[in-house]
Each structure stands twice: as structure tokens, then as C-alpha cells.
Amino acid sequence: MDKLAARTLQLNQTQTKRTMKQSYALALMALAPFARLQAQSSCATALTITPGVVYTVDTVDGTDVPLPVCSSGGTGANAGMWYQYTPSSYQTVFVSSDLTQNGNTDTRVQIYTGECGNLTCAGGDDDSGAGLLTLAVFNAYPGVTYLIGWDNRYSSLGFDFTVTTQPWNPTYISFTNQTVSTSSCSGCGQAAVDMNNDGYDDVVTVTATNVRISYQQPDGTFNTIDFPTTSADYTPSWSMAAGDIDANGYLDLLYGGGSGVTFMMATEDGTGFTEISGPQYVFSQRSNFVDINNDGHLDAFVCHDVQPNVYYLNDGTAHSPTTKAAWAIRRMAATTAASGSITTTTI
Amino acid sequence: MRWKTIVITALIGSAIIACRHDPAEVVAPAPPPTQGEAVSVDLDLVPYPTLSQYRFFNGAMAAHEPNSGVLPYDVITPLFSDYAHKFRFVWMPAGTKANYVNDNVPLDFPDGTVLIKTFYFDNVQPSNTRRIVETRLMIKKAGQWLFADYVWNDEQTEAHLDLNGRFVPITWRDDAGVDHEQNYRIPAWAECFTCHKLNDVPMPIGPKLRNMALSVDYPEGPREQIGKWVEAGYLEAGFPAPQPVAKWNDPDVSLNDRVRAYVDMNCAHCHSEGKHCAYRPMRFAWQDTSDPMNMGVCVEPEDPLPENPELTYIVASGNTFRSMMLHRLASTDESVRMPLMGRTVVHQEAVALITEWINSLPGPCN
């Protein structure tokens, strides 16, 4: 309750600041009626909008490009037009160019909180309207100023837009944004799963030579640890699955690549991974762990896009730590079928 | 002239490479065939364990000096294969020949035909020499095409049958002196079959007459290729003159036809009726692409990418940022890139071509 009160206070302060800025901008506009277009050309001079009014953007030619990009479509815009809105109550806000008079114009919008030059995404949209028109929807807090930046990612042609609102009850559900540092690369795999069996889901991202686990803590924060691995023969460009194949309490990973399958087996103390890669060509678009033969041991199933599917049966001999090394090579048999024949190979 | 150059270069390259010795090679390669020994294709025994057993080439095999009856051939617009260079040859049993069917399908080859395609790189580092990676064969036996892939040894003296597929790390230097590091993919049987099939029956792709109407440098000099095939007894005469496809990188050809030729050879083996990707709406074969819709122009993708919802059309007229085709051609991500197989690096010249083409299309899509 105290937290909420504090936040409300903070928001009110922000609102006060903004209101002054808006008044200043409005005064300027009254003095110079032809300055309206210019006033929208940068974040600092964003035009305050009124819900329900239809606004016309003549051309997207403002010099201040809305960044960061909060919508899909990536960077590449080189101009933007700026507006702002500060609700006085909890509202769901609809920013829309989805109007019949806009025809097939191609629009995009970014929505922010924060100060110009240091903006934080609050919403954004590319194509949720008809055709390539835009309909951004976001939940807004009272007293917070939301900056609305239309960009010219695809087109600088003019268009009309509206902002409409409806009441929002923020007590239904709320989420707290938290940034977790993940590996990023072409063909990386990602998962949200409890890797160390402590009851909290963790965030896992992998590259060919690293498993990065952000362990979720009881307080909701994350403790990120990198586990370097041998260079995986196949990276999870198509799929990744997690399961405790050897029942040691630490989840093992399966990388499904375009040409084969790699297993990364968690060590007994969960401080590293051992790679096992099969020799079979597998175009493994999707994969999963499941006890296929109901013998109590987790098996791996891998969809093969161009040949019969592949599965790796677990005979459970890995459950003794002393036989683990041998097991890793011995106990998983891939059964594949090609052109009607069945072959069994061991990896 | 060019052919001679290639042969001479290969001879020099192989002579250098042959001086090296790889202790891992324990099986002594078969002695190279000498002049006068005929090609051997015993349909009861193929595919042989080694490439040399076919005796397709005289002397040092790496030089690819064709034996009697082994005819080099070429195509107007080739498949891009990670910048690998290719030697192509055809061999048919004595007294047999191929027949023309129509412009849109490969020639009807006789039993015993072998299509031979060698993939190699030049200026491979660190030795800056030629590296022959693989020789793929398609052999027609009892009306069915077999796949056989031969992986060359480090000494470049022999190639061994292997249909399991593998990656080969290669760094090659281009004409500008830039090194390109890649993980070249030798296909497994299933990869061969995925592209080389029609209605689940194995099938060649390249040797359609419409893609063969060009001049080729033979050892005796340049000749018009189709006439040479007839003269060599490898093609039954009496067919209509083919309507050739465009050469994809010929600046004198219309941009649209260059794109049509490129997608015909690089995409149509999957995106055509009866092919692996027939469930998608694109139809990229030369005879189909006079209709721009078959190339995906202003057609919404059935398989949008969650990370890139802005790619609202397969080809968005005048708008590269919204064109799925360009995005996939420019990607190396296995789950995004096109073609799915046979390419691990971006064909930059093709991306430039498609970009120019999309920008030339009147837009926007409605």
C-alpha cells in the first residue's frame, strides 16, 4: 500500500512538470499559429492531444526519429512526428491510424514514457489495423505522460489518427518488467524452465559454446551464470528441449538443428554440461522429452522434417553415477526409418 | 578456352596437393586409370566405394580430365552452393542417348546414365590452393535414379562414398583478398532426395534443354552445347528449339527475367507442383513465373515469422522492408533462411538482384 502511494505521488509530480511544459507549448502555439507542424517534429515539442479528436499528419518529416523501436519492423526510419498524452485516470489507450480515409497508407507508431533522449517503451504497433495501418493499445497510469512518435519506417505520406480511451482497472493483474541478459545469436535457443529443481523457473539461452542460465531467486531477481561448453555439433536453430534424462536433479538440454541433434548433459553437481552429438542426419524442427515407452525413464522425441521421426530411448542405466560416462555413449539409441527400412544406431 | 584453363589449373593444384601426406589415410587409393581404360559403370555394383573405380577421369583424378565418353556440360543459370565452383559431366552407356520430353522437365536419360558434379573451392587457406570437397553422382538404374556422394580425401587423390552428410570447415580467399570462413555442408542422402524429387521419385534438376542452350568450352574449343550432345550421340535429334532461360547475372537481360531464372534454379526444385514445398503458394519454375503472383508478389505469407511481423508479403512491391523473400534470402539462421538446404552463407549478389527487383516493382501492394 505504501509503495502504491509513493508511486502515485511520484506520478503526480511528473504530471505537474508535464503540465507546465504543455502550457508553455500551448502558449507558443497561440503566439505562432503556423508553428503547429514544427511543434510536432521533435520529442521535446510534442503536441498534446485530446482523446476523440482526429489529428492530421501532413507528412512524416520531423527530424527527431522515435527511438528505441518498440513495435515490430526494426530500425530504419529517419523521421518522426511527436504527440503526447497524459491521462488523469487508469485508462486503456488506443492510438489508431486505422481509419477508412487512410486507405492503404503504411504507418507505424512508438509510445514511450520517460524523458526525451532517454525514453522507455510503453507500447507501439506496426500493422494491427486494417492492411498496413496501425492500432496501438496500452494501459496507462494517471499522471504519466505518454509520448507518441509516428515514424516513417515504410512511408512518409500523411494520414489521420485518433487517440481514444476506456477505463482500466489495474488491479486485475499486473506484471513487473525485468530485463534478463540473454545470449543472442543466429540460431540461439531459449527456454524458461526450472533448471536446478528449486521450484523457480529459470531463463536459459544457449549458443554453440555456452549455456547461460539466469537462475530465478525467491525474491524474483535473477542470478546469471555462464557455463562454457564444447562447441556443439548442432545448435538449437530449430528447437530446444529441457528434461532431466539421468534424474540427477539438473535438467539436460537437447539442441535440435537443421542437420542433427546435440544433447547437453548437466553434470552431477549442475556446474557444467557434457556434449553428446549423434552422427545421424536429422532435420529436427521440433523436439521434446517424454517417457515414450512408459518405463519410467525420460526419452527424447525429435521431429524429422524430411525423414521419419527420430526418438532416443533411455534405458535408465545412467541413474548410477558410476556408470554415467559409459552410459552417455551407450544407452541412447536413435531409431530412424528411411524408405521403409528401419535402422538402429547408437550415439 | 575457359575449360582448358580450369583443367590446367587443376593439374597444377593437384600436383602441389599430392605432395602432402596425411597419416590418417590408411587405405591405399586405387591406382589412377591410365589412358585407354574405359569408364566402368556396372549397374549391379554401383555405387562403388570409391570414385576412382568409375574411371571417369584420366590421370590424376583431381584434374578432372574426362575419359572417353565423359562429356562436360554446363547450365545457363546454376544453383548457388555457398560459392563452391562446380565441374559437371555426363556419361551414358555406348549406343544410348537421352530424349527430349518438353522444355519444363529434365531430359529423359537412358539407364546407366551418370550425372557427375564436383564441388570445389579455389584459394583455400592457409595453402591458397584448390580444394575439391565432394563429387555427387546421380546414376540411373532400372529406371530409377540413385544418389551417390563421394567425399574427397585431403590428398585430393581419392573420394569415398558417404551418404551420411557432414560439415567441412573451409576458408577461401576471394579476388579482393577477403577470406570467407564457412562450414560447408556435404548433404546426407535425405538432403539429396529432398530437392531431387518429383512426387517422391528421385529426379535430376539441371539438365533441361532450356537451361543448356549455351556455348561450352570443350577441350577442342567452344561449342554450342546442345549440338555437341547430339553430335556425341547423347541426345536424340528432332526436338524443337528450346526457349532458353535467362542468365541470372547477365546485365543485358531484363531484371525480371534474371530474377525468374534465379528462382527457377534456386527455388523451384522445392516450390513447384509435386515438390517438397508444394504446400506453399509460390511456383518458382520458369514456366510459372510469367505470373508475378507465383513469385509471391503481393501475396501474404502463410508462415509469418513471429519475430518479423512487418514482413507482410512474400514480395512487397516497391518495399524491401516488408518482403519475406528477401529477408529469408539474406538470413543464415537455419530456421529462417531460404533455400533451407544447400546454403549456409548469404549469396550477396542474389540479395542485390532481388533488392533491385523489388524496388523496381510498382507499389504498394493493396
Side-chain angles (χ1 to χ4, degrees), chain A residues 8 16 54 82 142 185 248 250 252 262 302 313:
Chain A
T8 308
T16 306
V54 177
W82 292 84
C185 74
N248 66 359
Y250 296 99
D252 312 299
T262 284
V302 181
L313 290 178

Side-chain angles (χ1 to χ4, degrees), chain A residues 299-319:
Chain A
D299 310 307
F301 181 86
V302 181
C303 153
H304 195 322
D305 192 54
V306 298
Q307 283 185 299
N309 297 323
V310 174
Y311 52 95
Y312 298 82
L313 290 178
N314 179 0
D315 67 7
T317 54
H319 294 189

Side-chain angles (χ1 to χ4, degrees), chain B residues 190-209:
Chain B
E191 290 169 277
C192 303
F193 182 59
T194 301
C195 299
H196 279 279
K197 68 180 178 183
L198 176 62
N199 297 319
D200 286 331
V201 176
M203 192 70 68
I205 298 169
K208 305 177 179 83
L209 273 201

Side-chain angles (χ1 to χ4, degrees), chain A residues 72 104 106 126-127 154 237 258, chain B residues 191 309-310 321-322 334 366:
Chain A
S72 62
N104 59 6
D106 195 350
D126 187 358
D127 298 327
Y154 309 108
S237 53
Chain B
E191 290 169 277
E310 77 278 10
F321 304 122
R322 289 197 174 278
E334 282 188 335
N366 289 317

Side-chain angles (χ1 to χ4, degrees), chain A residues 72-73 104 106 126-127 132 153-154 186-187 234-235 237-238 257-259 281 283 305-307 339, chain B residues 164 167 185 188-191 194 276 309-310 312-313 319 321-322 332-335 340-341 364 366:
Chain A
S72 62
N104 59 6
D106 195 350
D126 187 358
D127 298 327
L132 303 175
R153 170 66 171 134
Y154 309 108
S186 169
Y234 308 102
T235 52
S237 53
W238 279 95
S259 303
Y281 166 71
F283 187 169
D305 192 54
V306 298
Q307 283 185 299
S339 303
Chain B
N164 295 319
F167 286 101
R185 174 70 186 174
W189 179 90
E191 290 169 277
T194 301
H276 192 74
E310 77 278 10
T312 45
Y313 297 98
N319 193 336
F321 304 122
R322 289 197 174 278
T332 56
D333 184 331
E334 282 188 335
S335 63
L340 271 178
M341 294 176 187
N366 289 317

Side-chain angles (χ1 to χ4, degrees), chain B residues 4-77:
Chain B
K4 276 181 179 167
T5 309
I6 289 169
V7 169
I8 290 165
T9 311
L11 277 166
I12 295 168
S14 64
I16 294 167
I17 292 161
C19 295
R20 292 190 292 151
H21 176 68
D22 182 355
E25 182 66 38
V26 291
V27 180
T34 54
Q35 298 282 355
E37 284 188 292
V39 167
S40 160
V41 178
D42 183 337
L43 291 181
D44 292 331
L45 298 177
V46 297
Y48 298 144
T50 58
L51 184 61
S52 62
Q53 288 170 275
Y54 296 89
R55 298 200 291 263
F56 289 133
F57 308 111
N58 290 321
M61 197 165 67
H64 283 67
E65 184 195 329
N67 198 350
S68 176
V70 177
L71 188 65
Y73 77 95
D74 203 354
V75 292
I76 297 173
T77 288

Side-chain angles (χ1 to χ4, degrees), chain A:
Chain A
M1 219 33 186
D2 286 342
K3 262 188 189 171
L4 182 61
R7 184 170 60 185
T8 308
L9 178 66
Q10 191 185 11
L11 296 182
N12 283 338
Q13 285 169 345
T14 311
Q15 184 185 24
T16 306
K17 265 200 296 193
R18 287 288 179 199
T19 306
M20 286 174 65
K21 193 180 281 183
Q22 286 159 18
S23 305
Y24 180 65
L26 285 170
L28 270 181
M29 280 173 60
L31 289 171
F34 298 108
R36 178 171 163 254
L37 280 175
Q38 315 250 318
Q40 297 152 233
S41 67
S42 73
C43 174
T45 57
L47 178 71
T48 298
I49 58 92
T50 304
V53 174
V54 177
Y55 289 85
T56 297
V57 174
D58 293 328
T59 306
V60 183
D61 58 0
T63 52
D64 196 354
V65 181
L67 287 172
V69 175
C70 316
S71 69
S72 62
T75 55
N78 57 22
M81 298 301 276
W82 292 84
Y83 302 83
Q84 59 177 311
Y85 173 59
T86 309
S88 57
S89 60
Y90 292 101
Q91 294 176 351
T92 299
V93 180
F94 302 82
V95 179
S96 173
S97 65
D98 190 11
L99 306 170
T100 52
Q101 63 264 38
N102 289 333
N104 59 6
T105 309
D106 195 350
T107 59
R108 192 175 77 160
V109 74
Q110 320 300 330
I111 293 158
Y112 308 104
T113 57
E115 299 296 326
C116 293
N118 186 26
L119 295 167
T120 302
C121 285
D125 183 64
D126 187 358
D127 298 327
S128 296
L132 303 175
L133 294 170
T134 297
L135 174 59
V137 184
F138 63 98
N139 290 322
Y141 289 87
V144 175
T145 293
Y146 293 88
L147 286 149
I148 299 166
W150 294 93
D151 70 27
N152 68 339
R153 170 66 171 134
Y154 309 108
S155 168
S156 297
L157 295 177
F159 58 92
D160 290 351
F161 76 93
T162 61
V163 174
T164 54
T165 67
Q166 67 183 40
W168 167 51
N169 185 341
T171 59
Y172 291 152
I173 191 167
S174 66
F175 292 90
T176 306
N177 280 341
Q178 204 179 141
T179 302
V180 176
S181 170
T182 59
S183 305
S184 175
C185 74
S186 169
C188 286
Q190 294 153 7
V193 65
D194 182 5
M195 290 294 285
N196 58 350
N197 203 24
D198 66 355
Y200 296 96
D201 279 345
D202 310 310
V203 175
V204 189
T205 53
V206 310
T207 66
T209 56
N210 190 67
V211 176
R212 173 172 291 182
I213 305 177
S214 295
Y215 292 104
Q216 187 182 173
Q217 306 299 303
D219 65 359
T221 61
F222 289 88
N223 177 32
T224 297
I225 299 178
D226 282 318
F227 298 100
T229 66
T230 54
S231 186
D233 284 10
Y234 308 102
T235 52
S237 53
W238 279 95
S239 68
M240 187 165 82
D244 189 3
I245 312 175
D246 49 1
N248 66 359
Y250 296 99
L251 296 197
D252 312 299
L253 298 171
L254 185 162
Y255 301 172
S259 303
V261 177
T262 284
F263 290 87
M264 281 291 175
M265 304 294 299
T267 55
E268 285 301 308
D269 58 0
T271 59
F273 290 86
T274 305
E275 180 191 359
I276 311 171
S277 292
Q280 299 87 5
Y281 166 71
V282 183
F283 187 169
S284 43
Q285 289 203 335
R286 300 291 183 269
S287 52
N288 209 343
F289 284 114
V290 63
D291 182 5
I292 296 170
N293 55 358
N294 213 20
D295 66 352
H297 306 302
L298 202 55
D299 310 307
F301 181 86
V302 181
C303 153
H304 195 322
D305 192 54
V306 298
Q307 283 185 299
N309 297 323
V310 174
Y311 52 95
Y312 298 82
L313 290 178
N314 179 0
D315 67 7
T317 54
H319 294 189
S320 161
T322 55
T323 62
K324 183 177 175 62
W327 164 84
I329 306 300
R330 169 165 56 82
R331 48 118 295 325
M332 286 194 294
T335 303
T336 64
S339 303
S341 64
I342 302 290
T343 56
T344 301
T345 20
T346 303
I347 67 169

